[in-house]
Amino acid sequence: MLSVKNLFVKVEDKEILKGINLEVKAGEVHAIMGPNGSGKSTLANVIAGKEGYEVTGGEVTLNGTDLLDMNPEERAREGVFLAFQYPVEIPGVSNATFLKTALNEIRKHKGQDELDALNFLKYMKEKMRVVGIDEKLINRPVNQGFSGGEKKRNEIFQLQMLQPTLAVLDETDSGLDIDALKIVSAGVNSFRSKTNAVIVVTHYQRLLNYIVPDYVHVLVNGKIVKSGGKELALELEEKGYDWISNPKGEAVAV
Amino acid sequence: MSTEVENVEELTLKEYKYGFETDIETDVIPKGLNEEIIKLISSKKNEPEWMLEWRLKAYKHWLTIMDNEPSWANIKHPKVDFQDIIYYAAPKKKPELKSLDEVDPELLKTFEKLGISLQEQKRLTGVAVDAVFDSVSVTTTFQEELSKLGIIFCSMSEAIKNHPELVKKYLGSVVPYTDNYYAALNSAVFSDGSFCFIPKGVRCPMELSTYFRINTSGTGQFERTLLIADGGGYVSYLEGCTAPVRDENQLHAAVVELVAHDNATIKYSTVQNWYPGDKEGNGGIYNFVTKRGACRGVNSKITWTQVETGSAITWKYPSCILQGDNSIGEFYSVAVTNNKQQADTGTKMIHLGKNTKSTIVSKGISAGKSNNSYRGLVRVHKNAANARNFTQCDSLLIGDRCGAHTFPYIEVCNKTAKVEHEATTSKIGEDQLFYLRQRGISQEDAINMIVNGYCKDVFRELPMEFAVEAQKLLSISLEGSVG
């Protein structure tokens, strides 16, 4: 589904990603782990098409379609969803209005009919139950005055509403207490299906107890230095990143 | 990205959709300003002697200050040549129209094109319109129906003829001709505008509105509007305005006076969409307007709501004089500037009576290379016990080539007063845009969404139809604003 080949990315003349290769198939969950500053969020942002990143080499395709040529909204309509590490506030725009616009843009792109207010409301109520989000939050302006946990839950609610093909979760666990973490993870798990894929970007292993990945990749200094199954995350938790970034023996590469 | 922006900027070229010109036979007087011209205007309008005298007094006053065009506003423009303006232009037609059937079909078509139907049966029920084309009022709808309630709604010219006692009593009573430069000029040469009188205890059952259209090249529009709500009266009034696309600057210097007596309420809403000039700042209307309301009676209330998207330059401060005890003044404003537009706009709230309250909500939006200033005065006199004011003054910047400025003046002479001022300046963040776009919303729609959210507090104050119109207008004004 998602194919990243030999991806090089610069930010203001500094090389951040140095030849990333990643193959994600439908139905899979991949975790990207790594120390601070290793390039995890850069990878997430480049997939979503954020400005300010210069791709100097390589390719990123989604089901064979070149993503790098598209602007962010086109990628979103093709099925790329980024759950933000720091969701922004949009004063005066209600969550419901925002989501109705977004959903209908995506539906239009897929050749589906736009949902009218009534059907949208019905659909939204259904998804609200899945994520256990409060009605009050829905009618409030997007993320305005939300607590950290509420913002993250709102991201997962949007994920459920928009049903993308590829979900990239950027540090979704940061700032969450254990109860919120469980709720957010349940939202992601119920999203998982044979037809979509999830990339979980995280610093800590904790989240992966709840969203169990099929593969774990370790990103250090702009390169994936080790890949493995879910047990790799536990090993990292135990030994720390130094174990991989300063290997005593042979260099590990993928 | 840069090619995308260029494409978007191309859109701005076609943005002003009211830029057409009506080909109609016009009665135009020679350019220039002198006593003869003023006498000519007055005679064209068959005015009584007292009106001409008033005009000439104003003109004589203007002559004493003619070299002192105000320069304190945060705007820049070449000196206006007042001898190079046509002060009166009117479609040629019988001086008095008995019915709509006599209105030139070209004019009806013009207003139809602007979305203003003057055919009463086709009008949305609930809105009466006075249509002003260049210097004259073309027609006023629903006059008969309103007169059954004792409401007078007509052009200023008719009011001078048919209700001289009211005009004499109120004209210049809120904005005297000595008030300021443009008010003096307007008082000397004003041509038409709307007049409305709501009698005691009457609630006007429909929205009243005036639609101003400048058509003839080289003309200035100097309209004069006077609205009076007698004890317990209520009226909601709307005005809209457009002009053809031209590469010259045209002057629009209006005066609007409102008077609210005991327990009366006046709501005055404006959607100003004069031609703003092109991307390079060529052409466009200079909108130098004096608007003021007097809350003369106890418990009276005046609300100004304005959505300012047009004009090359806007210089406008709709104000309230809160004389009556417990009177209330409100000002809600959205002012948008794009490309090379300039706006210096705000309000004055003058608290004179006891327990008077005022609210100011100003939302400035600057895009392109434009400059947008809020200028406001809150003055509490020494006798105005328990006066209250709340001011919220926000500026939003789109892009990094525009400017936003705030000049709030607060003068409090009574220690029981409570005055609050909140101000914010924000930028449409790349982060906000990326967030919305990442959910599938296009860049243009994302900007509109953010801006509309930002203006929500003001749009809420507009009558329903106008609120929708205002939102559309905003999105047109901001097309191509991100670069």
Side-chain angles (χ1 to χ4, degrees), chain A residues 192-209:
Chain A
R192 291 175 71 167
S193 82
K194 288 265 170 278
T195 55
N196 61 39
V198 179
I199 295 176
V200 183
V201 173
T202 181
H203 188 80
Y204 299 106
Q205 184 272 337
R206 188 178 67 151
L207 177 66
L208 304 181
N209 290 334

Side-chain angles (χ1 to χ4, degrees), chain A residues 48-236:
Chain A
K50 188 172 182 177
E51 280 166 36
Y53 298 91
E54 189 194 346
V55 176
T56 53
E59 59 179 61
V60 179
T61 58
L62 184 73
N63 293 322
T65 317
D66 180 9
L67 285 185
L68 295 179
D69 250 10
M70 298 180 182
N71 61 34
E73 55 267 37
E74 288 166 339
R75 298 183 201 205
R77 293 168 196 163
E78 282 291 323
V80 175
F81 179 94
L82 175 65
F84 284 74
Q85 184 176 1
Y86 304 110
V88 297
E89 301 185 359
I90 319 273
V93 178
S94 82
N95 241 330
T97 308
F98 158 58
L99 275 171
K100 183 164 178 276
T101 311
L103 182 65
N104 280 333
E105 285 295 340
I106 292 166
R107 290 180 67 94
K108 249 192 320 204
H109 180 74
K110 288 184 184 161
Q112 297 168 330
D113 286 339
E114 294 183 38
L115 288 187
D116 60 21
L118 202 67
N119 282 315
F120 174 77
L121 211 66
K122 235 168 86 184
Y123 176 70
M124 189 170 72
K125 287 248 150 98
E126 202 181 296
K127 296 298 181 187
M128 279 163 62
R129 268 196 299 277
V130 175
V131 191
I133 198 163
D134 200 313
E135 182 133 20
K136 271 182 286 185
L137 293 188
I138 300 302
N139 294 316
R140 289 230 307 256
V142 180
N143 293 324
Q144 204 181 21
F146 286 29
S147 69
E150 284 170 340
K151 282 183 183 172
K152 294 298 173 75
R153 200 185 298 187
N154 196 22
E155 292 295 292
I156 302 308
F157 172 61
Q158 292 174 34
L159 169 74
Q160 284 283 354
M161 286 292 292
L162 302 179
Q163 291 291 318
T165 324
L166 173 73
V168 182
L169 314 181
D170 188 7
E171 306 270 5
T172 295
D173 51 332
S174 67
L176 291 188
D177 61 28
I178 192 75
D179 291 331
L181 190 67
K182 281 182 185 165
I183 294 168
V184 162
S185 304
V188 176
N189 286 328
S190 78
F191 163 75
R192 291 175 71 167
S193 82
K194 288 265 170 278
T195 55
N196 61 39
V198 179
I199 295 176
V200 183
V201 173
T202 181
H203 188 80
Y204 299 106
Q205 184 272 337
R206 188 178 67 151
L207 177 66
L208 304 181
N209 290 334
Y210 300 97
I211 305 173
V212 180
D214 300 298
Y215 299 96
V216 173
H217 310 278
V218 185
L219 188 64
V220 177
N221 195 17
K223 279 183 186 157
I224 290 177
V225 293
K226 195 172 176 66
S227 296
K230 63 183 179 218
E231 60 292 341
L232 178 57
L234 290 165
E235 219 175 326
L236 278 170

Side-chain angles (χ1 to χ4, degrees), chain B residues 72-74 344 372-377 393 405-409 421:
Chain B
W72 45 263
N74 188 23
D344 191 305
N372 200 327
S373 304
Y374 167 81
R375 186 182 302 276
L377 168 68
C393 179
H405 316 269
T406 308
F407 305 95
Y409 300 82
H421 184 97

Side-chain angles (χ1 to χ4, degrees), chain B residues 225-446:
Chain B
T225 292
L226 180 55
L227 256 76
I228 303 132
D230 211 344
Y234 169 91
V235 63
S236 171
Y237 181 92
L238 322 168
E239 73 175 355
C241 24
T242 58
V245 169
R246 294 188 195 289
D247 54 11
E248 64 188 19
N249 292 113
Q250 283 178 283
L251 180 63
H252 173 255
V255 172
V256 175
E257 297 175 278
L258 315 182
V259 178
H261 290 290
D262 289 356
N263 304 304
T265 298
I266 301 176
K267 271 177 81 81
Y268 194 105
S269 312
T270 305
V271 173
Q272 187 262 106
N273 188 23
W274 294 117
Y275 176 55
D278 70 9
K279 278 199 317 183
E280 304 307 324
N282 301 314
I285 304 290
Y286 290 168
N287 190 36
F288 298 157
V289 172
T290 306
K291 290 185 171 177
R292 195 173 303 154
C295 285
R296 297 243 164 103
V298 294
N299 302 318
S300 56
K301 181 177 176 183
I302 290 179
T303 302
W304 297 101
T305 306
Q306 60 171 20
V307 177
E308 303 282 314
T309 62
S311 297
I313 302 178
T314 297
W315 179 97
K316 178 180 166 189
Y317 315 89
S319 304
C320 297
I321 299 170
L322 305 170
Q323 279 170 280
D325 290 348
N326 309 318
S327 60
I328 298 172
E330 294 176 330
F331 174 75
Y332 300 95
S333 168
V334 167
V336 188
T337 51
N338 194 2
N339 298 319
K340 291 201 170 167
Q341 280 176 277
Q342 307 174 65
D344 191 305
T345 182
T347 185
K348 288 190 270 188
M349 292 291 173
I350 311 295
H351 293 256
L352 301 173
K354 295 182 179 63
N355 305 314
T356 47
K357 271 191 221 144
S358 62
T359 304
I360 299 171
V361 177
S362 164
K363 304 274 182 178
I365 301 163
S366 345
K369 294 176 184 164
S370 68
N371 253 312
N372 200 327
S373 304
Y374 167 81
R375 186 182 302 276
L377 168 68
V378 176
R379 178 183 288 153
V380 179
H381 272 251
K382 61 178 193 302
N383 298 331
N386 298 315
R388 296 276 177 277
N389 163 264
F390 173 76
T391 300
Q392 165 108 37
C393 179
D394 298 329
S395 311
L396 185 70
L397 299 163
I398 303 176
D400 52 12
R401 292 173 295 175
C402 53
H405 316 269
T406 308
F407 305 95
Y409 300 82
I410 300 172
E411 299 170 12
V412 179
C413 304
N414 183 305
K415 57 184 173 188
T416 59
K418 265 190 198 161
V419 176
E420 289 174 71
H421 184 97
E422 286 180 15
T424 65
T425 302
S426 51
K427 229 182 128 170
I428 287 201
E430 286 299 317
D431 285 348
Q432 282 178 323
L433 279 179
F434 178 58
Y435 190 80
L436 295 180
R437 293 175 77 189
Q438 208 301 305
R439 299 299 185 248
I441 299 167
S442 72
Q443 172 158 295
E444 291 283 298
D445 289 348

Side-chain angles (χ1 to χ4, degrees), chain B residues 110-125:
Chain B
T110 299
F111 283 96
E112 206 76 49
K113 237 164 132 178
L114 296 168
I116 313 289
S117 175
L118 300 177
Q119 316 274 356
E120 291 189 7
Q121 65 275 22
K122 281 196 210 153
R123 284 289 317 165
L124 292 155
T125 44

